Every structure is written in structure tokens, then in C-alpha cells.
Amino acid sequence: MKLGVTRSVGLVGLDGTIVEVEVALGSGLPRTVIVGLPDSALNEARERCRAAIAHVGLTWPSQLVTISLSPAALPKSGSHYDLAIMAAVLTATGHVSPPARLRGCVILGELALDGRVRAVRGILPSVLAAQKAGCRHVIVPAAQVAEARLVSGIKVAGVATLSELVAVLRGGVAALPTPAVVPDVVDPPSTPDLGDVAGQVEARWAVEVAAAGGHHLYLHGPPGVGKTLLAERLPGLLPRLGQAESLEVSAIRSVCGLGLESGLVTRAPYSAPHHSASVAALVGGGSRVASPGAVSLAHHGVLFLDEAPEFRPTALEALRTPLESGQVVLLRSQAQTTYPARFQLVLAANPCPCGMRESSGIECTCAPMAIRRYKERLSGPILDRVDISCHLKPMTQSYLRAARGAMESTRVVAERVLVARERQRARLGGLPWPTNAAVPGPWLRRELPLPVGVEMLDTHVAKGLLSARGVDKVLRMRCTRDCHS
Ligand SMILES: [Zn+2]
């Protein structure tokens, strides 16, 4: 029996495991079998490989070809195993004999029927897993060499076609020993500037304070007053991501199939799902192994829910766990997948379903009952976690004209936010919470001297106007006021 062995990576969430791909050519009826919990995309690998092999002038072995992927208990999904399977088959048939330095090399990529190598999802976390497992070389689709090279200490070869893979495996390509260079971090295309938002002084302040303390924010007011404009500018006010945060955010983008051509993500991400989004689109989903949703794409950044009351109640309900724990745990038939989801939530809502209630000149057509139901959709557990609520009023054109050009830019405000964040870090030094927003109520009540005007808090609690959680919010906002002045 002839054997060929190569390696690839299986991803569950952002965690990669080295998968050994073994191919055995044996006697028996000529057919190809894949074993080791493959999904349908992986099962179709044999059809893609059989078609692609003709483009290097070879034919698929007319024997019993058994392809085994181990560890067998790990569910394997996706088409990125194609190249590793093909390399193992070519090794078993004796068409290639990889040099010693390439044995144990991790191979990732999908084959097209005409022998081209296609890009696949999850290159960054897969190469990170290869690096952790001690691999020295990886072979990836040529289009994704830059992404693979974000991982230091590993040599990367890019192949655009099956013929190039054969050439690399025969050791005839000098591309492989090139040193892995971590490219310079490139800033994403310019983010929208806060200086473009005229007027709305109070709401601008609310956004700045939210950025300073990491607080969730609720913006409400009629359409066109600038709720979306302000939410879009919040990520620009947040500090740059640290090295570990940057790797996590980039790995999530990679798993979602979003490109990393310009290097690691270094700015806080922004995710704004439409209100018709399903629960799976919002928090993640999938049939066998779950993929990340909008909450994970907003990890270390901002999740903006425009027209929040229009979201399905089940979708809003699904936000509670990530808001509480900073992660999403998705149980599927073959694996439990965990994705990080620690985001800053910005909710926006109109005053009524038609949106015209506070607009002058246009009559609101909503029944009082409909308005009440609309407002109630956001009440309770979600709003309980939102520290800042801000009402935006329509601005008059003359005020807008006067205010235009005189507004502070993102750069100026971000500097103040950074100072506030540094003060918080010093104050919370040694504690597990990075921002004031994350500090739990019991700690606030135990450790903080009660603010001036505490009698007023007492009165409000006695009258039922303020809940225990409401008192916590007041204390938490006071912490941020102390840091941000
Ligand atoms: Zn209305």
C-alpha cells in the first residue's frame, strides 16, 4: 500500500487544530473515500481534485483511494483541505517527493476545476495555529500571502495554480525560503470625521463620554437629526487596538472571509446590521460548525442597531448574553463554538413607528397604542445595560449654517478620550475591568464614596423612579466624569 501524508488546519471558532491528511492507495474497486467527519464542501473535494489533476498532465489513480483526516473526532468543514489532499495524493503516487524542509508543512487552499487555487476563509487563525504547533512553512493561495505573512516566524509560499504547488513540493521554487515579513500596519481608508456633524452639541458630548468610559449609548429622535452620523463616528474616537486585540479582530474578519490585504486591523471595527437581520446573522450561526455574526464583527468596536425597536424581539433577546459575558457560545450538532463579542452598543430609535412625531409640518399617523408598543420593544434587560440615553431634536437650518465649520474634529476629541482612558486604566489598575462601563455595580457601591446629592438618589429610589441598576449607572457615569474633564 502506498501512503502520502500532509497537514492542514481545522478551525472551530478561532481555534485551529493541525489536521493530518493521509492518503492510502490500495487494491480494490477504483473509488475515492474521505473519512474523518467531513462536511459536504469537504466531500466534494474529491470531485474538484479529480478534475484539477488533469491540468498538470496527470490522471487520478485508478485504485481505491482512501483519504483520512485526523484527529477523526474533530468536525471538518470547508474547501481549504483541497490542496493538502492533492499534495498527499501526488506524494502517494510518487509524482512529488517533498524535500525534508517541507515535510510537516501546513497546506491551505481550494482547487478550481481548471487547476487554479482559490482563496479560502480563516487563513490568519489557521497560520497562527500552525505557528503555535511549531510549523516552519505554510503553503497558501497566492492571493492570501500577505494575510499569512501577518504571522511572524513562519515561511510562506503562495501558489496560484496546481502546477505551482507541484513545483513548490518538488523543491524547485525559490519562493518558499523568503523570510516572513510582517508588513507595516496600514490605516484603513479614512473614517468619517466628527467635525462633519454640525450642531447636536449635547449628542456629540454624549458620544464623547460614551467613548471615554466605554459606555453603551441610546440615541433617540426623529429621522435625519444625525443619529447614524454620530454612531459612525464613535469608532474613530476609540483608542487604537492593542496587539492582542488587533489579532483577535483580524482573525474574526479572516474567518468571515473579509480581506486583510492592508494588514492587521488596528482601529476599532464598526458593525451595523439591518433591522431585518436574523438571530444567526446577529450573533452567529450555521448548521454543523457555527460562523461569527455581527456582534463578533463588532468585537473591540461598535455595534450599531439603527431603528432598534424594529429588530425581532428574539434578536434583541440574543444580545443579552454577549452584553453580559463578552462572548457568544454557539452549540451546533458537531461542535460548540465560542466567538468573542465584547462590543460597545449604540441603539438608535425614532419617536414613533412612522418617525414623524416630532417633525414640524408632517403629521404623525401612529395610534397612541402603536407608539407605546414601539417604545416598549426596547425596554427591560437591554436598556438596563445602556448607561447613556440622549434625545436629539431637529436643528434649524440657520443654526446648522452657523455651526458648520466650527465643530471639533475627531482628532481633537479622540485626544481627550485617550487621556480619560489612561486615567481609567490608572484608577482601575490591577482590577479586571478595562473601562468604567465594565465595572460591576456591587464594586461601585462598595468602593466609591457616595456622590454629593445622594439624598436626591434616595428620594428617586424611594419613589420608584430609579432602580438599583439605575443607581449603579449614576455611580458609573460619575467615575467617567471624574476621568474625563
Ligand atoms: Zn408616527
Side-chain angles (χ1 to χ4, degrees), residues 351-358 363-367 371:
C352 67
C354 82
M356 299 305 164
R357 192 156 168 245
E358 291 170 16
E363 206 173 320
C364 164
T365 53
C366 309
I371 297 176

Side-chain angles (χ1 to χ4, degrees), residues 285-351:
S287 55
R288 291 173 88 248
V289 179
S291 43
V295 294
S296 296
L297 279 169
H299 183 52
H300 290 311
V302 174
L303 179 72
F304 177 51
L305 303 189
D306 195 11
E307 301 192 28
E310 301 287 357
F311 276 77
R312 293 157 216 235
T314 46
L316 290 173
E317 189 66 17
L319 289 177
R320 284 173 65 175
T321 317
L323 279 173
E324 199 64 43
S325 64
Q327 61 178 24
V328 188
V329 180
L330 301 156
L331 284 167
R332 290 296 177 269
S333 61
Q334 299 205 335
Q336 173 179 312
T337 316
T338 305
Y339 286 109
R342 193 169 293 286
F343 53 85
Q344 207 171 332
L345 180 65
V346 181
L347 300 166
N350 293 331

Side-chain angles (χ1 to χ4, degrees), residues 62-357:
S62 54
Q63 300 169 66
L64 173 61
V65 181
T66 310
I67 301 164
S68 164
L69 294 100
S70 59
L74 180 84
K76 296 161 200 82
S77 61
S79 53
H80 67 275
Y81 295 100
D82 289 6
L83 278 195
I85 290 174
M86 184 58 103
V89 168
L90 293 174
T91 310
T93 54
H95 285 103
V96 296
S97 171
R101 70 170 194 279
L102 289 186
R103 289 190 195 124
C105 142
V106 159
I107 307 176
L108 306 157
E110 178 188 321
L111 274 171
L113 299 185
D114 60 1
R116 279 175 299 122
V117 174
R118 289 200 168 119
V120 292
R121 292 177 177 212
I123 286 286
L124 178 65
S126 299
V127 178
L128 276 171
Q131 181 214 40
K132 273 189 200 148
C135 288
R136 305 289 306 279
H137 297 97
V138 288
I139 300 176
V140 299
Q144 292 177 297
V145 169
E147 182 176 337
R149 283 190 175 162
L150 294 172
V151 181
S152 56
I154 198 156
K155 289 175 180 170
V156 180
V159 289
T161 59
L162 181 54
S163 332
E164 286 183 25
L165 175 71
V166 171
V168 169
L169 290 175
R170 285 179 176 157
V173 168
L176 203 54
T178 51
V181 179
V182 179
D184 288 340
V185 168
V186 181
D187 264 349
S190 58
T191 43
D193 197 285
L194 197 60
D196 305 337
V197 185
Q200 298 299 2
V201 177
E202 220 170 276
R204 287 170 60 97
W205 177 243
V207 171
E208 179 175 342
V209 174
H215 303 281
H216 302 312
L217 177 64
Y218 179 26
L219 300 171
H220 36 95
V225 291
K227 301 187 293 286
T228 306
L229 288 181
L230 285 165
E232 282 171 350
R233 280 147 181 84
L234 176 55
L237 301 181
L238 300 176
R240 276 178 182 275
L241 302 177
Q243 176 70 17
E245 293 170 338
S246 169
L247 267 180
E248 264 185 348
V249 172
S250 305
I252 294 169
R253 279 186 68 84
S254 171
V255 168
C256 290
L258 303 168
L260 290 171
E261 294 81 14
S262 19
L264 290 176
V265 181
T266 57
R267 302 305 311 234
Y270 176 75
S271 172
H274 188 255
H275 61 71
S276 62
S278 64
V279 174
L282 202 59
V283 297
S287 55
R288 291 173 88 248
V289 179
S291 43
V295 294
S296 296
L297 279 169
H299 183 52
H300 290 311
V302 174
L303 179 72
F304 177 51
L305 303 189
D306 195 11
E307 301 192 28
E310 301 287 357
F311 276 77
R312 293 157 216 235
T314 46
L316 290 173
E317 189 66 17
L319 289 177
R320 284 173 65 175
T321 317
L323 279 173
E324 199 64 43
S325 64
Q327 61 178 24
V328 188
V329 180
L330 301 156
L331 284 167
R332 290 296 177 269
S333 61
Q334 299 205 335
Q336 173 179 312
T337 316
T338 305
Y339 286 109
R342 193 169 293 286
F343 53 85
Q344 207 171 332
L345 180 65
V346 181
L347 300 166
N350 293 331
C352 67
C354 82
M356 299 305 164
R357 192 156 168 245

Side-chain angles (χ1 to χ4, degrees), residues 49-63:
C49 290
R50 284 167 77 109
I53 201 168
H55 292 270
V56 282
L58 300 172
T59 51
W60 193 255
S62 54
Q63 300 169 66

